[in-house]
C-alpha cells in the first residue's frame, strides 16, 4: 500500500509506472505468519519521462551544412536535457558531425535527464544540390548591333531545368533591363536557379565594337 499518486498492485507489490505520477513515495508491505504480523516500508522514486520536441531545420543548398545541435531545433523540449545525436532510431550509431551535416536524411536526437530517463525523436535534414551554370561568351558584334545573352547557346551545358535571370553585378542584386538586346560592352552575370531555390551565378562577357567612320 502507499499514498495516492503511485499505483501499486496490493497482491504482488508491482508498480504500474504508466498509471503513476512522478514523485517520491513510501510503500508499506504488511505481512503475517498467521499468528504474528508486522510491516516494513521503502521509499520509491518515480522519475518523469522527458519530452524531446523537434523542429526540422531550414532546407539549405549544398555545399552548405546543417547544425542540428542548434538550440532552435529542440526548443520546447523538457528543460535541462543532455542531447546526443544518432543515425538510427534505436540510438545506437552515433552521428559524428551533428553540427555540420552535409547529407540529406533522417537523424535522431536523444534527450537525457540527470536521472537517466530518455526520449528520442527524428529530425529531417534536407540539403538540395546546387546547380551549375556553364557560360559560353557570345560572339562580338559591331554597333549598332546588340547581343542576346538569353540565347540558349550562351548557357548550353548548364544543369537542366534552370530558370535564368540577368544582372549587372556579381552579387546578382541589380537586374539587367535588356538581356536580350545588350548594346554596351561589359561583363554581365547570369543566375540559374532550380525549383528548390538553389542557384549559381556566372559572368558573361559581351563585346559590342564601335563602328568606324570613313
Amino acid at each position: 500500500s502507499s499514498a495516492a499518486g503511485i499505483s501499486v498492485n496490493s497482491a504482488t507489490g508491482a508498480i504500474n509506472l504508466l498509471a503513476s505520477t512522478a514523485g517520491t513515495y513510501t510503500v508499506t508491505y504488511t505481512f503475517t505468519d498467521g499468528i504474528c504480523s508486522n510491516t516494513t516500508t521503502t521509499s520509491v522514486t518515480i522519475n518523469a519521462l522527458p519530452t524531446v520536441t523537434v523542429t526540422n531545420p531550414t532546407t539549405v543548398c549544398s555545399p552548405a551544412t546543417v547544425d542540428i545541435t542548434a538550440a532552435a531545433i529542440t526548443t520546447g523540449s523538457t528543460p535541462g536535457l543532455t542531447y546526443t545525436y544518432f543515425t538510427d532510431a534505436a540510438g545506437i550509431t552515433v552521428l559524428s558531425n551533428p553540427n555540420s551535416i552535409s547529407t540529406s536524411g533522417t537523424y535522431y536526437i536523444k534527450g537525457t535527464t540527470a536521472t537517466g530517463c530518455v526520449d528520442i525523436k527524428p529530425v529531417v535534414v534536407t540539403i538540395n544540390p546546387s546547380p551549375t551554370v556553364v557560360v559560353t561568351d557570345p560572339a562580338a558584334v559591331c554597333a549598332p548591333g546588340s547581343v542576346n545573352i538569353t540565347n540558349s547557346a550562351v548557357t548550353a551545358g548548364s544543369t537542366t531545368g534552370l530558370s535564368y535571370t540577368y544582372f549587372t553585378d556579381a552579387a546578382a542584386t541589380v537586374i539587367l533591363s535588356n538581356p536580350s538586346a545588350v548594346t554596351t560592352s561589359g561583363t554581365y552575370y547570369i543566375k540559374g536557379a532550380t525549383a528548390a531555390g538553389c542557384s549559381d551565378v556566372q559572368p558573361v562577357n559581351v563585346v559590342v565594337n564601335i563602328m568606324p567612320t570613313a
Side-chain angles (χ1 to χ4, degrees):
S1 63
S2 187
I6 183 171
S7 177
V8 181
N9 186 314
S10 60
T12 66
I15 298 172
N16 184 338
L17 295 176
L18 290 177
S20 301
T21 303
T24 299
Y25 303 91
T26 298
V27 177
T28 300
Y29 173 52
T30 303
F31 52 94
T32 180
D33 62 2
I35 300 174
C36 300
S37 60
N38 206 347
T39 60
T40 188
T41 61
T42 189
S43 178
V44 174
T45 298
I46 298 175
N47 295 311
L49 193 66
T51 299
V52 173
T53 301
V54 168
T55 300
N56 291 328
T58 302
T59 299
V60 300
C61 300
S62 64
T65 60
V66 172
D67 180 9
I68 62 171
T69 70
I73 301 295
T74 50
T75 296
S77 300
T78 301
L81 298 181
T82 299
Y83 295 104
T84 45
Y85 307 87
F86 301 88
T87 60
D88 62 314
I92 297 173
T93 306
V94 174
L95 176 62
S96 61
N97 59 334
N99 61 344
S100 60
I101 298 173
S102 57
T103 305
S104 296
T106 300
Y107 302 92
Y108 298 86
I109 301 176
K110 180 181 180 181
T112 306
T113 65
T115 57
C117 296
V118 302
D119 186 26
I120 189 166
K121 288 293 193 324
V123 56
V124 177
V125 172
T126 303
I127 300 175
N128 291 315
S130 289
T132 299
V133 173
V134 177
V135 169
T136 300
D137 290 336
V141 299
C142 294
S146 62
V147 175
N148 180 11
I149 63 172
T150 70
N151 192 305
S152 59
V154 174
T155 51
S158 301
T159 301
T160 58
L162 298 182
S163 297
Y164 294 103
T165 45
Y166 305 88
F167 301 86
T168 61
D169 62 318
T173 58
V174 181
I175 293 175
L176 175 63
S177 61
N178 59 335
S180 61
V182 179
T183 57
T184 304
S185 294
T187 300
Y188 301 93
Y189 297 87
I190 301 177
K191 179 180 179 180
T194 66
C198 298
S199 62
D200 184 27
V201 177
Q202 295 296 331
V204 56
N205 298 302
V206 172
V207 177
V208 180
N209 292 311
I210 299 172
M211 185 72 79
T213 301

